[in-house]
């Protein structure tokens, strides 16, 4: 059955389904209960599942993640909401030193089935610390898995898959796409959580993106088509582990690759993806892999974020540069 | 009474709970008492002696190059055994990296404690089987884990049923330095807000590596609890009977569903922070000599001797300690080095293609190397 809903509602429906399926699933975070979260992603869940399963936390991010470690020890599956990307750093130690490592340290005796939801990225005109893209900082941490949804259907399914995973998952939600409508198929078998997907076929170059930039890349491909350029668009969906086999297959066909993300360029995911494409597709490449990213600045004041963030024109400019080789 | 940390407690609001003086005399306290008989005290004495032997052997093994590091608990045996023996099987303890005596109480083979320090393990025992989490090296992080676990106990209904077989609580161990950490203060707040069945057991051993307690707190540690909305107790941390009594009371209160307690066990780290530091650089010998007079083991021995405990008991314990020492020495050297290839399998429950590829690359590279001595 297919239903149209915004991405944020898809997440809400997915959380609800996961809570109904397993009474060990708990939601914890700041303002997730009565308010339903600042983005209303947990709207109505406390009312239906009670205060012991949707827990309004004290205002302390390390506490949210650290107590979830103990709850996971006890057999619970905590789903944590970090209110905004820029507020995750107080919890960074608990995430990378504890959540990520306990399964490894215990030689598999302890599982940490924790989901850490982070609304990330810019484009909503927010104040400082509300528009960051820290995904690479988690993707480079062994023991964590990192995913990002780009549409309502993936939001609905991927959050359920993340909760069902016995590994800790950092779940990056593209906050500027929360209100974007999409069809959600609540019955068909979804893609595996850790699989990338070709979301538009093309032959001249491959655009590789995730989260909020998938829509931007699709719009760029649409614009390019009007100028008779055929761009393939891949939604990575999983950032750690990366599923690059479909990327390699695509780049071998098109000969050109452009990686697009909002996060800063240096040591961002684009660097890893470019390197891996070069290692695997060297003899197929007609041009160097090009990155289109945020600049290496702290996130700027919102009045200039449209210039800071990769947009349609910067993506098309990169395509032109690639095709010029 | 021993000196009462007056510098930090001018109002004397937190006098030390003491039930056994350094001279080995039992004294009474208005609120706490040790309920065990002399046979039980002999059991505590045995644990004290064995835990000190673990320390002695591990220290020697480090000096012989068998361990990369050791964190000695010398002087803190009473705090650890007194609190550790107050736990029930269904309770859960979250330690730092120095709780060797508590590990003994939780039934962990002491030889397994050596793996982390030998560099062959990052843990070494099954935390769930023993109700004893892996050692936490990040200061204070485990206090939040303990609080979360305690919240889970409440959610599971394992608290406040007046069922001594099932009602459970959690104990979190940390030092005086940890009280400067945000995580510890978040854990206090969280535990109070959720009325979590957790006991915070601070071994104030006077030093965070080289920084004295005064560098980490300007008020009595026990007093912190009041600001968070729960009770704080200061106990003579070198008095095993008092540590047992206050921990027993606090754990039972938690099991009853009456919330958290902070215990400050006022003790002294007789040795170094770890075998890497030199305490003579940051504290004077007179201070150490003063604390030697409060030794947690000697005072129990004095008490047991005045009660007519036969020499045979002490002789048999010496033999048992020697056997434990032998076990530690022999097991330490036989702890196997980990297989790097096997470590790839424990990063994730569900694995990943990338890791499988890296494992295959590693194994192929390793196998391509000529075996040692083959060139001959």
């Amino acid at each position: 059955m297919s239903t149209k809903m915004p991405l944020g509602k898809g997440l809400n429906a997915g959380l609800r389904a996961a809570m109904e399926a397993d009474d060990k699933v708990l939601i914890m975070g700041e303002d997730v209960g009565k308010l339903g979260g600042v983005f209303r992603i947990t709207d109505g869940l406390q009312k239906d599942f009670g205060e012991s399963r949707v827990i309004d936390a004290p205002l302390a991010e390390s506490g949210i993640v650290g107590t979830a470690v103990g709850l996971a020890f006890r057999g619970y599956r905590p789903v944590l909401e970090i209110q905004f990307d820029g507020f995750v750093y107080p919890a960074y130690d608990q995430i990378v030193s504890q959540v990520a490592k306990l399964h490894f340290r215990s030689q598999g005796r302890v599982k940490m089935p924790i989901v850490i939801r982070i609304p990330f990225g810019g484009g909503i005109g927010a104040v400082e610390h509300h528009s960051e893209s820290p995904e690479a900082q988690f993707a480079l941490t062994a023991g964590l898995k990192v995913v990002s949804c780009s549409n309502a259907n993936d939001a609905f399914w991927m959050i359920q898959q993340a909760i069902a995973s016995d590994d800790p998952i950092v779940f990056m939600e593209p906050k500027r796409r929360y209100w974007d409508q999409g069809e959600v198929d609540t019955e068909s078998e979804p893609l595996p959580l850790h699989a990338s997907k070709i979301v538009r076929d093309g032959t001249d170059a491959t655009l590789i993106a995730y989260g909020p930039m998938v829509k931007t890349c699709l719009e760029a491909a649409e614009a390019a088509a009007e100028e008779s350029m055929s761009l393939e668009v891949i939604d990575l969906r999983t950032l750690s582990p990366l599923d690059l086999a479909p990327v390699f297959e695509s780049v071998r066909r098109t000969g050109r690759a452009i990686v697009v993300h909002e996060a800063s360029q240096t040591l961002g995911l684009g660097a890893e993806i470019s390197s891996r494409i070069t290692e695997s597709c060297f003899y197929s490449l007609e041009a160097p892999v090009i990155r289109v990213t945020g600049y290496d600045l702290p996130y700027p004041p919102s009045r200039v974020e449209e210039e800071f963030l990769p947009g349609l024109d910067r993506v098309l400019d990169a395509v032109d540069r690639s095709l010029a080789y | 009474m021993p000196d009462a940390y007056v510098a930090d407690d001018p109002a004397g609001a937190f006098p030390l709970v003491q039930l056994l003086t350094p001279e080995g005399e039992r004294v009474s306290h208005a609120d706490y008492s040790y309920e065990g008989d002399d046979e039980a005290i002999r059991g505590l004495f045995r644990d004290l002696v064995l835990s000190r032997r673990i320390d002695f052997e591990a220290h020697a093994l480090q000096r012989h190059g068998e361990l990369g590091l050791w964190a000695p608990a010398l002087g803190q045996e009473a705090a650890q055994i007194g609190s550790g023996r107050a736990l029930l099987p269904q309770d859960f303890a979250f330690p730092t990296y120095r709780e060797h005596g508590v590990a003994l109480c939780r039934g962990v083979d002491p030889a397994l404690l050596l793996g982390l320090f030998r560099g062959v393990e990052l843990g070494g025992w099954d935390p769930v089987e023993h109700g004893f989490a892996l050692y936490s090296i990040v200061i204070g992080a485990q206090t939040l884990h303990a609080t979360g676990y305690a919240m889970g106990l409440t959610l599971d209904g394992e608290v406040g049923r007046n069922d001594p077989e099932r009602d459970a609580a959690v104990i979190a161990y940390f030092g005086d330095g940890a009280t400067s950490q945000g995580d510890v203060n978040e854990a206090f707040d969280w535990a109070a807000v959720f009325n979590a069945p957790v006991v915070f057991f601070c071994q104030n051993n006077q030093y965070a590596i080289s920084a004295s307690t005064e560098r980490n707190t300007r008020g009595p540690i026990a007093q912190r609890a009041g600001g968070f909305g729960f009770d704080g107790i200061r106990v003579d941390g070198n008095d095993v009977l008092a540590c047992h009594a206050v921990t027993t009371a606090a754990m039972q209160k938690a099991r009853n569903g009456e919330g958290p307690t902070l215990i400050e066990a006022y003790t002294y780290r007789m040795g170094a922070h770890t075998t890497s530091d030199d305490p003579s650089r940051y504290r004077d010998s007179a201070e150490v000599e003063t604390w030697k007079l409060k030794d947690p083991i000697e005072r129990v021995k004095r008490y047991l001797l005045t009660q007519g405990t036969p020499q045979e008991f002490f002789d048999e314990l010496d033999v048992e300690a020697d056997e434990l020492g032998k076990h530690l020495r022999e097991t330490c050297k036989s702890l196997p080095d980990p297989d790097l290839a096997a470590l790839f399998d424990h990063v994730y429950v569900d694995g990943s293609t990338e890791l499988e590829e890296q494992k295959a690359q590693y194994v192929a590279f390793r196998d391509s190397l000529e075996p040692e001595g083959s060139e001959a």
Side-chain angles (χ1 to χ4, degrees):
Chain A
M1 195 180 74
S2 184
T3 312
K4 195 162 191 172
M5 65 179 77
L7 186 151
K9 285 280 184 199
L11 287 166
N12 179 273
L15 287 167
R16 178 177 291 277
M19 295 190 81
E20 283 168 351
D22 183 351
D23 62 11
K24 289 293 184 185
V25 176
L26 300 178
I27 290 176
M28 185 159 63
E30 294 157 16
D31 306 302
V32 295
K34 288 193 180 75
L35 183 67
V38 292
F39 290 106
R40 310 292 185 267
I41 303 304
T42 55
D43 194 26
L45 297 178
Q46 190 184 64
K47 180 170 158 288
D48 294 338
F49 293 97
E51 292 185 12
S52 62
R53 293 193 62 199
V54 182
I55 302 168
D56 273 323
L59 209 163
E61 285 77 12
S62 190
I64 292 169
V65 179
T67 53
V69 169
L71 284 161
F73 255 104
R74 190 69 210 161
Y76 285 90
R77 308 183 83 84
V79 182
L80 312 176
E81 179 172 304
I82 300 296
Q83 202 158 69
F84 283 92
D85 33 51
F87 302 150
V88 73
Y89 307 113
Y92 191 68
D93 169 58
Q94 285 287 349
I95 297 172
V96 304
S97 299
Q98 307 295 332
V99 174
K101 293 188 170 75
L102 273 163
H103 185 257
F104 185 71
R105 288 180 58 210
S106 67
Q107 292 195 34
R109 294 181 181 110
V110 176
K111 291 177 187 169
M112 285 288 126
I114 297 171
V115 175
I116 302 165
R117 295 180 36 239
I118 306 176
F120 85 115
I124 64 166
V127 297
E128 195 181 14
H129 307 300
H130 290 67
S131 302
E132 301 185 10
S133 299
E135 60 272 20
Q137 301 188 44
F138 299 108
L140 61 74
T141 301
L144 296 177
K145 292 188 173 181
V146 185
V147 301
S148 184
C149 57
S150 70
N151 59 74
N153 194 62
D154 275 351
F156 175 75
W157 284 111
M158 287 172 74
I159 191 67
Q160 293 182 70
Q161 293 169 314
I163 294 168
S165 166
D166 281 333
D167 287 311
I169 306 277
V170 176
F171 197 94
M172 307 298 295
E173 300 175 0
K175 69 168 87 79
R176 73 153 117 167
R177 307 297 185 207
Y178 273 147
W179 301 275
D180 286 3
Q181 298 277 340
E183 291 292 332
V184 175
D185 184 343
T186 56
E187 286 169 8
S188 293
E189 185 75 11
L191 267 185
L193 181 60
H194 298 292
S196 55
K197 182 185 180 187
I198 296 174
V199 290
R200 181 185 171 109
D201 294 324
T203 54
D204 294 334
T206 303
L207 301 181
I208 300 142
Y210 56 88
M213 284 293 108
V214 174
K215 183 179 180 182
T216 304
C217 288
L218 286 170
E219 288 170 351
E222 195 67 38
E226 290 173 14
E227 296 177 21
S228 303
M229 277 187 289
S230 171
L231 303 181
E232 187 142 295
V233 180
I234 296 183
D235 181 353
L236 283 175
R237 301 172 79 253
T238 177
L239 313 183
S240 177
L242 285 160
D243 177 29
L244 294 181
V247 173
F248 298 155
E249 191 275 328
S250 172
V251 172
R252 287 187 189 114
R253 276 192 288 105
T254 65
R256 292 179 169 82
I258 294 114
V259 191
V260 184
H261 59 62
E262 289 191 12
S264 299
Q265 178 172 288
T266 301
L267 297 172
L269 275 157
E272 174 68 21
I273 294 164
S274 301
S275 171
R276 301 268 289 275
I277 291 172
T278 306
E279 281 183 6
S280 292
C281 309
F282 186 71
Y283 291 108
S284 305
L285 286 170
E286 303 288 342
V289 183
I290 294 176
R291 288 172 289 171
V292 186
T293 71
Y295 300 107
D296 288 355
L297 298 169
Y299 201 85
S302 60
R303 289 293 183 112
V304 293
E305 68 180 348
E306 288 305 319
E307 295 168 66
F308 169 79
L309 294 168
L312 193 69
D313 290 339
R314 280 179 60 197
V315 174
L316 291 173
D317 176 66
V319 172
D320 288 343
R321 281 190 279 133
S322 178
L323 287 166
Y325 277 89
Chain B
M1 292 289 275
D3 40 338
Y5 203 28
V6 173
D8 285 352
D9 187 16
F14 292 93
L16 295 177
V17 176
Q18 189 182 67
L19 299 174
L20 183 67
T21 70
E23 293 73 34
E25 293 169 12
R26 299 279 295 268
V27 290
S28 60
H29 188 276
D31 301 319
Y32 301 97
S33 61
Y34 177 73
E35 303 295 342
D37 58 12
D38 283 353
E39 183 62 30
I41 294 174
R42 279 192 286 276
L44 293 175
F45 182 76
R46 170 181 174 271
D47 290 339
L48 291 169
V49 168
L50 294 182
S51 65
R52 183 164 290 187
R53 188 55 177 257
I54 294 167
D55 225 57
F56 176 85
E57 292 293 345
H59 202 272
L61 284 164
Q62 196 279 332
R63 291 297 186 245
H64 281 92
E66 298 293 341
L67 303 179
L69 187 77
W70 179 248
L74 186 70
Q76 298 177 222
E77 294 90 348
Q80 298 200 6
I81 300 302
S83 61
R85 283 294 173 211
L87 309 181
L88 298 178
Q90 67 268 29
D91 295 330
F92 210 105
F94 285 83
T96 73
Y97 43 79
R98 202 189 298 281
E99 265 63 80
H100 320 312
V102 184
L104 184 73
C105 295
R106 299 305 286 172
V108 177
D109 180 348
L112 297 181
L113 303 174
L114 304 178
L116 179 72
F117 298 97
R118 189 170 167 82
V120 302
E121 264 283 7
L122 300 172
W125 55 91
D126 186 331
V128 176
E129 179 191 345
H130 295 283
F132 187 70
L134 300 182
Y135 277 0
S136 174
I137 290 183
V138 177
I139 301 295
Q142 77 283 2
T143 58
L144 282 168
H145 308 168
T147 304
Y149 191 97
M151 290 167 69
L153 286 177
T154 304
L155 290 170
D156 290 340
E158 302 288 342
V159 173
R161 285 168 308 191
N162 201 23
D163 180 349
E165 299 294 318
R166 285 187 58 193
D167 285 345
V170 185
I171 189 164
Y173 289 92
F174 54 101
D176 42 307
T179 63
S180 299
Q181 287 279 359
D183 276 3
V184 173
N185 289 276
E186 290 184 30
F188 288 173
D189 188 45
W190 220 282
V193 165
F194 292 101
N195 198 44
V198 57
V199 172
F200 297 107
F201 195 91
C202 176
Q203 289 170 79
N204 179 356
N205 68 11
Q206 316 294 325
Y207 287 93
I209 306 188
S210 69
S212 65
T213 308
E214 288 80 4
R215 180 58 65 173
N216 281 288
T217 182
R218 292 297 295 172
I221 289 169
Q223 192 176 48
R224 293 273 182 100
F228 289 93
F230 54 94
D231 293 333
I233 309 167
R234 177 177 275 183
V235 63
D236 181 344
N238 286 15
D239 175 350
V240 71
L241 302 187
C243 287
H244 188 278
V246 299
T247 310
T248 298
M251 290 295 284
Q252 191 53 45
K253 183 179 148 195
R255 292 186 206 106
N256 292 344
E258 295 164 34
T261 303
L262 169 61
I263 296 171
E264 177 188 357
Y266 194 77
T267 182
Y268 194 76
R269 191 189 77 213
M270 294 300 293
H273 163 68
T274 70
T275 43
S276 290
D277 72 315
D278 172 10
S280 71
R281 293 174 74 115
Y282 54 81
R283 63 186 188 192
D284 58 47
S285 55
E287 180 181 292
V288 181
E289 292 305 313
T290 305
W291 277 92
K292 275 186 185 167
L293 302 174
K294 303 173 189 174
D295 187 85
I297 298 183
E298 281 305 309
R299 70 176 74 182
V300 183
K301 187 170 186 179
R302 287 182 188 128
Y303 169 75
L304 290 176
L305 286 171
T306 60
Q307 297 305 303
T309 300
Q311 185 59 38
E312 191 181 15
F313 165 77
F314 298 101
D315 294 342
E316 285 174 6
L317 185 52
D318 283 344
V319 171
E320 188 179 0
D322 286 345
E323 285 170 358
L324 175 62
K326 188 178 172 202
H327 169 64
L328 285 164
R329 291 191 298 276
E330 289 177 351
T331 310
C332 179
K333 293 173 189 174
S334 67
L335 288 173
D337 284 350
D339 172 12
L340 184 60
L343 296 182
F344 286 82
D345 300 335
H346 295 306
V347 180
Y348 299 104
V349 179
D350 296 334
S352 83
T353 308
E354 287 169 340
L355 266 182
E356 285 164 17
E357 287 171 1
Q358 287 186 20
K359 178 181 177 179
Q361 287 166 10
Y362 162 69
V363 170
F365 177 73
R366 182 186 68 185
D367 292 350
S368 74
L369 299 175
E370 289 183 18
E372 276 181 46
S374 64
E375 64 273 16

